[in-house]
Amino acid sequence: MTAAATAEPTRRDFLYIATAAVGSVGAAAALSPLVSQMNPDASTIAAGAPVDVDLGSIQPGQIIQVFWRSKPIFIFNRTPKDIKLAQDADWQSLRDPQPDSARVKQGHEQWLVVIGICTHLGCIPLPHQGGFDGWFCPCHGSQYDSSGRIRQGPAPLNLQLPPYEFLSASRIRIGENSQA
Amino acid sequence: MSGYSTYKPQSPFMQWLERRLPIASLIHSSFIAYPTPRNLNYWWTFGGILTFMLGVQIVTGVVLAMHYTPQVDFAFDSVESIMRDVNYGWLLRYIHANGASFFFLAVYIHIARGMYYGSYKEPREVLWILGVILYLLMVVTGFMGYVLPWGQMSFWAATVITNLFSALPGIGDPIVTWLWGGYAVGNPTLNRFYSLHYLLPFIIAGVVVLHIWALHVVGQNNPTGVEPKTEKDTVAFTPYATVKDAFFIGLFCILFAYFIFYIPNYLQHSDNYIPANPGQTPTHIVPEWYYLPFYAILRAIPNKLAGVIALGLAIISLAFLPWLDTSRVRSANYRPAYRVFLLVFFAAVIGLGYLGSQEPTGGYVIAARILTLYYFGFLYVILPLLGLFETTKPLPNSISESVLREGSPAGASAPASGA
Ligand code: HEM
Ligand code: FES
């Protein structure tokens, strides 16, 4: 500890600091696998592959629920009335302003495909309930319209859109969107 | 921790040990000779009750872990087999499940006691903050335990609570995915919650040691809030505190046993006897009763991020109490105005708990907003100002004076309710 007596930094001080610096980089590097192991593992990611859904059996007005990446996906076969309500809404005044056209694929306005997870805290909203021709979330009362847009309640955002594409007029692939 | 001890090792073996590891004198000075104020009332027995409940949870938990399977396809069935097939499995599970409730009941009373008698004030700030940390650890542990039976409530509680983090801008969603280990709550989530649910009680036990260490450095507060001055003000921990604690733990256990044996599911939700279904949310989801006041605060606020911040702040603010309260007088028995505001605060917390269990519509939301406002108003406006304006009652010169005066023990009056 002779170094402590002199005011000038010595070579030994430099070595101490350099060693500590290298040591802390090493400690941080050792920490990263410990943090990283908690992220989705390879099998979970692999199980998140796209799924194909046949729309043929969905009746007008019916909402079905399928799973993609363990998330519920709502597929809504909208009637002309549902579509009109969605298009006529004054979307600019909504909390998460989006026109209906930004939420469906052009030429397929009949089909609304959304992730069925309430953007508040993740419950699954109930179809055909609430005051806006769409969904009602039983957990804290958020209401979504026939375009899946948030209209009332604590949720901040519209129901999210999964990536999907039409393979034919009555078949979609969820999880992939080559047109985009 | 040492210093009070009159302990002199007698046998040659104890003398030999004392020179190498003075554990016997540490125990003697901490739990036998340790001086406790002579005027402590029964609200002071809840620390002992909490230590006891931690022991109960660890013993029953370790045994449950011998029969439980942390895998989404088997977890629910393994809990059912604990209930039906394992010898006394029903008893162990009911003790553990109701034990969590009684643990929280005790901690709320313990916290309320501290607030009523000003136990957080100088020099007990670190002791108090360690207590808030213990409470936070209990909240996390209880939540993760509740997920393990993998019923409907388990699954949706896990979903809603982890989603609280999604409110954070930018980093929210990656954090939630990281917590889940997947794209939704699933097997990886259950597994890690099990690992942490096993670990955290032992971390709690470690922090309890720090908490008691800090307590034994600064000494216990008492109903007058006046520090002990002479030896006449204190009595030895053993037998006085030990026996008094043991007696009250016995009474507490009678109530505990009543729940375990007569109404074991009273505090449970029947939905949790339905296996988890990721495709359907139960129509009415509520957390366990001990989280309800904070749940009500979350729902009272119409903005998601603000709601989550208020929820966190409601708990964290407790840690700031030593600095929010500007009064130098500790005990509410000598602070008439504080006493009233504080009792209203306790009532507001209970009221929030009730509102948290109801559907969030109309009048309930408005009531929850008013009580939330009072909750924060009390902490951040009333407390700092009150210390400046309040006229307090004269304090006794010493504990023994207050106890021996007129033959009726002062300070024996207790807070009307525990929050
Ligand atoms: C701070 C102490 C603890 C608290 C507050 C706590 C809380 C809980 C709660 C609320 C449950 C759900 C009960 C139910 O609805 O069935 C639970 C379950 C469980 N806990 Fe704990 N626990 C604690 C300590 C421990 C420890 C130390 C272990 C193991 C070493 C453990 C192992 C388990 C197991 C295996 C289950 C699932 C079986 C069941 O649901 O009964 N717990 N815990
Ligand atoms: S999770 Fe849907 S409203 Fe809160």
Side-chain angles (χ1 to χ4, degrees):
Chain A
M1 288 289 105
T2 47
T6 56
E8 284 290 297
T10 63
R11 267 152 58 114
R12 179 141 303 187
D13 289 334
F14 173 77
L15 280 177
Y16 283 145
I17 292 169
T19 311
V22 172
S24 28
V25 171
L31 209 61
S32 83
L34 292 176
V35 174
S36 168
Q37 54 82 23
M38 280 181 59
N39 270 318
D41 68 12
S43 70
T44 309
I45 293 169
V51 290
D52 292 359
V53 184
D54 180 26
L55 305 179
S57 59
I58 309 175
Q59 301 302 314
Q62 194 186 358
I63 299 177
I64 66 153
Q65 186 175 319
V66 297
F67 276 93
W68 168 70
R69 289 191 161 184
S70 8
K71 291 183 203 291
I73 308 287
F74 291 143
I75 305 177
F76 186 3
N77 184 355
R78 304 193 295 178
T79 61
K81 182 192 122 225
D82 300 324
I83 300 174
K84 188 165 159 35
L85 279 171
Q87 290 176 341
D88 291 353
D90 173 20
W91 61 271
Q92 265 130 343
S93 67
L94 299 184
R95 185 175 306 162
D96 182 8
Q98 260 188 329
D100 188 57
S101 57
R103 302 190 45 83
V104 293
K105 303 274 179 206
Q106 209 183 356
H108 301 284
E109 281 78 8
Q110 177 190 3
W111 299 104
L112 179 76
V113 181
V114 289
I115 299 181
I117 294 180
C118 181
T119 59
H120 183 227
L121 295 175
C123 292
I124 301 182
L126 303 169
H128 301 299
Q129 287 195 31
F132 299 90
D133 190 33
W135 288 266
F136 169 79
C137 180
C139 289
H140 317 98
S142 291
Q143 300 194 20
Y144 300 90
D145 66 11
S146 56
S147 190
R149 290 172 299 204
I150 179 67
R151 298 295 283 269
Q152 198 176 308
L157 298 172
N158 300 336
L159 291 180
Q160 284 178 308
L161 306 177
Y164 72 98
E165 64 190 6
F166 277 86
L167 302 174
S168 71
S170 67
R171 204 171 170 75
I172 58 170
R173 172 166 293 170
I174 301 171
E176 220 165 68
N177 191 356
S178 47
Q179 288 106 319
Chain B
M1 274 181 128
S2 54
Y4 312 111
S5 190
T6 49
Y7 175 73
K8 288 268 169 330
Q10 299 295 309
S11 69
F13 171 74
M14 291 312 277
Q15 286 167 0
W16 179 89
L17 185 66
E18 185 70 13
R19 265 178 280 123
R20 287 158 181 83
L21 179 73
I23 186 163
S25 63
L26 179 73
I27 290 173
H28 188 269
S29 72
S30 306
F31 302 109
I32 296 175
Y34 181 72
T36 69
R38 62 186 292 167
N39 59 339
L40 297 186
N41 57 35
Y42 278 108
W43 299 107
W44 260 266
T45 58
F46 282 87
I49 291 178
L50 284 163
T51 316
F52 171 75
M53 288 311 299
L54 179 61
V56 168
Q57 291 303 88
I58 289 182
V59 170
T60 52
V62 168
V63 176
L64 285 169
M66 296 179 187
H67 305 279
Y68 171 78
T69 314
Q71 211 282 340
V72 286
D73 297 323
F74 305 113
F76 185 88
D77 290 349
S78 77
V79 172
E80 283 311 301
S81 102
I82 290 173
M83 294 297 291
R84 296 167 194 213
D85 303 340
V86 175
N87 298 333
Y88 294 103
W90 59 272
L91 178 61
L92 295 162
R93 172 161 181 258
Y94 279 153
I95 294 177
H96 196 77
N98 286 288
S101 279
F102 276 77
F103 202 169
F104 275 97
L105 175 70
V107 85
Y108 284 128
I109 294 175
H110 194 64
I111 294 172
R113 186 283 318 263
M115 293 180 73
Y116 188 91
Y117 294 109
S119 299
Y120 46 79
K121 289 185 195 180
E122 201 273 334
R124 298 188 178 82
E125 301 94 325
V126 171
L127 171 62
W128 175 260
I129 291 172
L130 285 167
V132 177
I133 292 173
L134 282 169
Y135 172 65
L136 276 173
L137 288 169
M138 278 177 65
V139 167
V140 177
T141 309
F143 159 61
M144 291 183 168
Y146 192 58
V147 174
L148 301 184
W150 210 243
Q152 271 290 66
M153 282 297 178
S154 300
F155 184 90
W156 291 101
T159 300
V160 169
I161 301 298
T162 48
N163 260 307
L164 290 176
F165 291 93
S166 72
L168 302 172
I171 51 168
D173 287 329
I175 290 184
V176 174
T177 306
W178 179 76
L179 287 173
W180 289 340
Y183 303 112
V185 171
N187 197 50
T189 327
L190 177 62
N191 253 293
R192 63 192 54 182
F193 278 18
Y194 180 54
S195 166
L196 295 174
H197 184 69
Y198 207 129
L199 167 72
L200 285 176
F202 296 92
I203 305 261
I204 293 181
V207 181
V208 167
V209 171
L210 295 181
H211 189 70
I212 294 177
W213 182 12
L215 173 71
H216 284 210
V217 170
V218 294
Q220 280 164 292
N221 186 27
N222 65 79
T224 63
V226 176
E227 297 287 340
K229 289 178 180 140
T230 61
E231 250 174 56
K232 264 175 60 192
D233 291 341
T234 61
V235 292
F237 192 88
T238 302
Y240 298 97
T242 341
V243 170
K244 189 169 177 171
D245 282 1
F247 171 67
F248 210 70
I249 289 174
L251 291 188
F252 190 78
C253 282
I254 292 176
L255 185 65
F256 187 21
Y258 177 73
F259 273 74
I260 294 168
F261 291 106
Y262 290 94
I263 45 171
N265 286 305
Y266 182 73
L267 298 168
Q268 309 277 78
H269 302 290
S270 49
D271 273 309
N272 221 25
Y273 284 106
I274 303 170
N277 176 0
Q280 197 191 2
T281 308
T283 45
H284 187 47
I285 78 165
V286 275
E288 294 286 86
W289 71 265
Y290 35 86
Y291 303 133
L292 285 173
F294 303 109
Y295 193 61
I297 291 177
L298 169 77
R299 296 193 307 186
I301 293 170
N303 176 289
K304 177 174 168 181
L305 179 59
V308 173
I309 291 174
L311 167 80
L313 200 63
I315 300 181
I316 297 295
S317 297
L318 289 178
F320 309 146
L321 269 182
W323 297 277
L324 292 171
D325 186 344
T326 49
S327 173
R328 291 237 287 290
V329 176
R330 290 201 184 94
S331 169
N333 284 349
Y334 301 92
R335 298 184 62 192
Y338 172 72
R339 185 168 188 274
V340 173
F341 283 117
L342 181 68
L343 294 180
V344 175
F345 177 79
F346 292 158
V349 173
I350 293 170
L352 280 168
Y354 168 73
L355 294 170
S357 71
Q358 301 298 309
E359 302 272 349
T361 47
Y364 287 107
V365 177
I366 296 172
R369 286 188 188 150
I370 295 171
L371 294 184
T372 302
L373 200 68
Y374 184 78
Y375 187 99
F376 289 107
F378 173 80
L379 292 175
Y380 287 97
V381 182
I382 296 176
L383 266 189
L385 292 182
L386 208 55
L388 308 177
F389 297 113
E390 187 180 29
T391 327
T392 55
K393 291 192 200 163
L395 291 172
N397 286 319
S398 72
I399 294 175
S400 42
E401 184 195 283
S402 84
V403 179
L404 302 174
R405 197 174 45 198
E406 295 162 25
S408 73
S413 79
S417 69

